[in-house]
Each structure stands twice: as structure tokens, then as C-alpha cells.
Amino acid sequence: MTLKSNSTWRLGTTSYIIPDHILPNLYYLQDKVDDVELILFESGEQSSIPDASQVRLMQSLAKDSGLSYTVHLPLDLYPGSRDENQRRHCVDTWKYVTGLMLPLNPLGWVVHLNDPPGDKDCLPAWQEQCRKSLEELSREVEPGLLCIENLDYDHELIWPWVLEMGFSLCMDLGHLQVRGDDLSACLDRWLEHTRIIHLHALNSEGRDHTGLQHMDRDLLAWLLSSFDSKTPPLVVTLEIFSSKHFQGSLKAIQEARQ
């Protein structure tokens, strides 16, 4: 099934829909979505970070198909670490990846800030280290394209001050649901500052990153209507990782639109 967005926002999904490397996924998705989130990682001997020749192929594919990209910077990094070597490694990795992927002109860079310390007295130091890391990264790419994602912890710990620094938001609605946050209140407050939405459902066991066939149709219809009201730019990424969840999500969107 194909369902490119006919709205003011761009419909996207991840670079891991079929069980293959990034490029085969891009060829599979090029006529099905508007945008692909390139999820990059480097762990031990495994790496999804492309080389320069692969980036050129991605450029050519985007030019021919109209596909755009968002880039999810690598995980397992600690921009808020009090260990300066750990923090420095994070920033160096960010800089390497952004330098490699800049030719793709991504519509946004998704950034994770590692979990804050449990001790509230340590929060200011963690925030200061995160600020330093983001400031250094913002010298490499346009600050407004840096989209700070909410994770398992309270987004209030990061979003107010990253907006003051001139960055944007990546609002992961599944993460908000797992935490039990009020989606309506979050959209009312944060949507205007959001450049990327991560959209996925919770299944009957409360597991997130599942297809939208698991989401209440009225809730999905309301969310799509909310996205329609957002002034561009906005990318809505189906952050799921299989063709089953992808096809189910496209069908659910189609039904919710009727």
C-alpha cells in the first residue's frame, strides 16, 4: 500500500521496514512515503552509518523520487555526562555523522539527551553538560534543525530550555503515552515548536513502536487533524520497524481519513 501525504506535513517512516540495509529500504519506500528517518547507530562491530559513496546514492535517489530525509543521530551517547571524555566522544560522534550526512539536506536531526541523574541536586550539572554539547553541535548544523526528542523521563526537564537555545522539538507521542502524559495538553503547548512527530501505537500489552492498527481510530483521526493545523514544516514519522506494522499503519491512516 502507498499513502504519501496530501497534507501540509510530510509522511515518513524509518529506514528499517524490510529486513535489509538502509539503501534497499530506501528503494522500497521511495514511492510509499515522503520522508525516511535514517536511524544511525554504531555498536561494537555493527554499524549502520553509510560511507560517502552510499550517501551519494541517497542523494541521487532523493533527487529522482522527491524523497526527503530526517536523521536520527546515534544512541548510546552521553551528552550530559559529567565525564568529559564521555561527553567529548558524544560530540565528536555527532559531528562526524552530521558532516557525513549534510549533503542530504536533512529536514531535521533527531537528538537524544541521555537520562538525567536521579539525584535532583545533580540536575543542574547534567543540564549544563547537555547545553555545552548542543551548543557545540549547533556550530555544525542549523540550530533550528536540531530536534530534541522526549524519552522516558519528563520532557519538562529539557524542552523549555532547549527552545530558549533556539532548537526545535521531536515529539514522540508513543513515549508520551507510555508515561501517561496528556496528549491534548502536550500538543496544545508544544506542537508549534515541533518539527518532527514520532507516531506509533501501544499494543494491548502496552508495548510501543507498534503499528497504528493498534491505535483507537478516533484518537488517530484527531491526531491527523491536529497535524493538519500545524504550520509547516512538519514531518510525521511512523517510527515502526517492520512491513507488517508499516502496512497496517498506512491502512489505519487511510481509514481514519475517511
Side-chain angles (χ1 to χ4, degrees):
M1 180 182 292
T2 297
L3 188 66
K4 288 199 171 192
S5 173
N6 292 318
S7 305
T8 57
W9 45 273
R10 297 181 69 79
L11 177 66
T13 194
T14 71
S15 54
Y16 291 102
I17 296 302
I18 59 173
D20 210 327
H21 297 295
I22 289 181
L23 273 168
N25 270 273
L26 297 183
Y27 286 114
Y28 171 74
L29 292 167
Q30 63 178 317
D31 61 348
K32 299 176 176 64
V33 292
D34 305 305
D35 185 272
V36 175
E37 178 186 43
L38 304 173
I39 300 182
L40 305 183
F41 65 85
E42 196 166 38
S43 179
E45 296 181 357
Q46 291 189 323
S47 175
S48 70
I49 299 176
D51 59 28
S53 64
Q54 292 171 321
V55 171
R56 287 193 291 271
L57 287 173
M58 293 177 185
Q59 275 184 288
S60 177
L61 176 61
K63 182 178 179 181
D64 293 341
S65 67
L67 200 64
S68 61
Y69 301 113
T70 52
V71 175
H72 198 308
L73 294 178
L75 310 176
D76 299 326
L77 298 173
Y78 302 92
S81 176
R82 299 181 73 171
D83 181 333
E84 191 60 19
N85 288 329
Q86 260 193 343
R87 192 193 72 81
R88 185 77 259 150
H89 171 69
C90 168
V91 173
D92 289 345
T93 302
W94 281 352
K95 288 182 176 180
Y96 168 73
V97 172
T98 53
L100 180 66
M101 307 303 284
L102 267 174
L104 299 180
N105 295 315
L107 298 181
W109 308 85
V110 178
V111 179
H112 279 195
L113 300 182
N114 62 287
D115 289 359
D119 185 347
K120 291 184 178 180
D121 292 337
C122 298
L123 276 175
W126 172 80
Q127 287 182 336
E128 182 56 31
Q129 291 292 81
C130 287
R131 285 175 185 268
K132 285 170 58 179
S133 299
L134 290 172
E135 284 175 349
E136 291 178 39
L137 179 58
S138 69
R139 297 177 197 139
E140 309 297 317
V141 300
E142 183 182 330
L145 297 183
L146 292 177
C147 304
I148 316 305
E149 182 179 354
N150 57 299
L151 302 175
D152 294 337
Y153 54 86
D154 186 357
H155 57 272
E156 292 280 355
L157 294 175
I158 54 172
W159 279 355
W161 58 264
V162 299
L163 289 177
E164 290 176 1
M165 295 180 71
F167 305 131
S168 299
L169 305 182
C170 171
M171 188 188 304
D172 190 305
L173 299 181
H175 294 167
L176 293 174
Q177 285 185 289
V178 168
R179 281 183 44 84
D181 291 328
D182 185 329
L183 290 186
S184 179
C186 288
L187 287 170
D188 284 347
R189 182 174 179 188
W190 303 111
L191 184 59
E192 66 177 299
H193 307 291
T194 299
R195 192 175 184 91
I196 299 172
I197 291 281
H198 284 173
L199 182 61
H200 45 99
L202 277 60
N203 65 15
S204 59
E205 299 172 350
R207 181 180 178 183
D208 59 355
H209 296 289
T210 63
L212 300 183
Q213 62 267 39
H214 297 288
M215 182 177 284
D216 177 82
R217 285 292 182 273
D218 289 340
L219 172 59
L220 179 56
W222 172 74
L223 287 172
L224 298 175
S225 176
S226 298
F227 305 154
D228 290 341
S229 69
K230 165 73 164 64
T231 302
L234 180 68
V235 177
V236 178
T237 300
L238 305 173
E239 201 173 46
I240 48 182
F241 305 99
S242 75
S243 58
K244 176 182 177 181
H245 288 302
F246 177 64
Q247 294 296 338
S249 295
L250 296 188
K251 183 179 179 182
I253 291 175
Q254 188 176 55
E255 292 174 353
R257 284 295 201 190
Q258 293 174 353

